[in-house]
Amino acid sequence: MSEDLKRTTIAGNLEEQRRIRAEKVTAIRAVGGDPYPDRFVRSATSVELHERFAQLEPGAETAVMVSVAGRVMLRRNMGKLIFLTFQDVTGSLQLFVSQADLGEEAFAAVADIDLGDWVGAQGEVITTRKGELSVKVASLRLLTKALRPLPDKWRGLSDTDTRYRQRYVDLIVNEDARRTFRVRHQAVRSLRHQLDEEGFVEVETPVLQIEAGGAAARPFVTHHQALDQPMYLRIALELHLKRLVVGGIERVYEIGRVFRNEGISTRHNPEFTMVEVYWALANYQDMMALTERMICRAAQDAIGTYAVAHPDRPDVSIDLTPDWPRRKITELIAEHTGETVSVHDEVPRLRAVCDRLEISYEDWWGAGKLVYAIFDKKVEELLGHERPIFAYEYPAEVSPLAKPTPGDQENTDRFELFIGGKEIANGYSELNDPVRQREMFEMEVAAAGHGDVEATRTVDEDYLRALEFGLPPTGGLGVGIDRVAMLLSGQPSIREVILFPTLRPESVENTRRLATGYPDGDDADDQGPV
RNA sequence: GCGCCUCUAGCUCAAUGGCAGAGCAACGGACUCUUAAUCCGCAGGUUCUGGGUUCGAAUCCCAGGGGGCGCACCA
């Protein structure tokens, strides 16, 4: 069996296509060419030319010379005339390549260009007889040889696993993927602009922490060698940002990655991006208004409308137009379950309500956790399907960092924003009484003792020390950036708005196949069951 | 973690117990105005892996792996 035949037998047609492209690389080098040259000076992008020459008649010549560059996506070979359609970051454009213009030798080189190659071309802007805007190529350079073939030019790449693992291919061939990440970028930029304009200072705080606090979630654990010290990846931004408010940064925010060692779903990725905002002298009402300003502006900047597609119902859209309703969670519970409950009710009565609604609970839960469970299990998913809604006045028992509602120690001035049945944002008037904060921490430690793996296990003494220096009245807010991106891009899965979502590792054999260099005769020998 | 669905050529998909196929991509050829170019020809397979049932398995069964969806989990 010859080497080539064996290779083909083992790895199939992919190896044949890669071999042929690799041989072109060799051939280019053999005549002193460079298949991976240095820079190319581009004078115009495809979209700039489409905009500037939108009105040309068919068959027009402009005498305007341009340099363009991009990846070859389509090729139509007519013999002595070749049409190439390339794609750059702005869009795509046709190259008109005539043997009469280039001469036989240069034309033959263009005929060797494969789909997926990067090329740079220089020539006159024209339209064809059919009116297609084109660059009539006077010279064309290979800028990068692609060794692997692109997916089907018409159907693209649809296998979700491959799309996520090989996002580079997804982005090359799927316009919807490019659009999604453009929307995400514009939304993030918009949030940042809004906060900057309102005088907020952007900061960065530690990702590696001695104790992960600020939320109820199981953290990722790692280890610092030099300190010989276990460390945690942060699960929230909150406690460090409030230390900065103590330090006098009265308006502060961070856009950053947080990590939660929990289940993966269409709405949860182990690492995700939050923006948290803290505003001295403000309260939770101010933060609701700020949330609304931020998301409304993001919608306008990213998609130019207040009408967003419903994540689960293709035929429905959600209207983001201000002002969004604000309702107490107990009112929403009554409205959607018919049960009148209060955090001041006796525990047995609340347990009876949970039993009626078929909600399970732990025997150590107080009234706050029970009321919250009712809201969480029976009401949340029903909220925000026509327009966003703020729910507020959450039990203190489930809000250990929030300030009590004036005159009601069992409730807090906390809110959550729901859009399309999903939680998008969470905020409150910050608890700034260090004595009460210590009590709340100790309650959490007790919950951890009950087996609550998400409860904070230690009292954050440094945070309490900071509070003792005086945290002014402060409003705080956390927004899940990924969920905003899902909302605005109309994507039903968080994996669609994260460039490289968390996946199981690829199989060894598959990784091997994908990572194998070429040409290299040894690889093929190692792979197969020869 | 549990349940359901799914895995066939580089890509997108057929073949439902009886010869593994098509389109695109590739390769050879024709073609100076195409638009997913067209036309002729040719090649490409560990049907995810391992067992089993059967005269015969891509197809049925069991186990494992990847993925999707749902549930559980998720202040």
Side-chain angles (χ1 to χ4, degrees), chain A residues 48 69 203 312 373 493 508:
Chain A
E48 285 167 0
V203 298
D312 306 321
S493 168
V508 172

Side-chain angles (χ1 to χ4, degrees), chain A residues 200 278-287 428-430 472-476:
Chain A
F200 288 86
Y278 295 86
W279 180 2
L281 309 183
N283 72 0
Y284 76 116
Q285 295 281 345
D286 299 311
M287 300 318 284
Y428 32 86
S429 300
E430 299 297 333
T474 297

Side-chain angles (χ1 to χ4, degrees), chain A residues 342-357:
Chain A
S342 158
V343 75
H344 301 288
D345 289 348
E346 296 296 325
V347 165
R349 180 179 181 277
L350 292 172
R351 285 181 178 173
V353 173
C354 285
D355 291 338
R356 260 201 304 280
L357 297 172

Side-chain angles (χ1 to χ4, degrees), chain A residues 65-92:
Chain A
M65 302 297 285
V66 295
S67 298
V68 294
R71 187 188 299 276
V72 175
M73 299 301 290
L74 296 171
R75 190 180 66 192
R76 293 173 291 279
N77 196 328
M78 306 293 299
K80 292 174 182 168
L81 183 65
I82 298 175
F83 297 93
L84 296 175
T85 301
F86 74 90
Q87 172 174 288
D88 62 24
V89 69
T90 64
S92 58

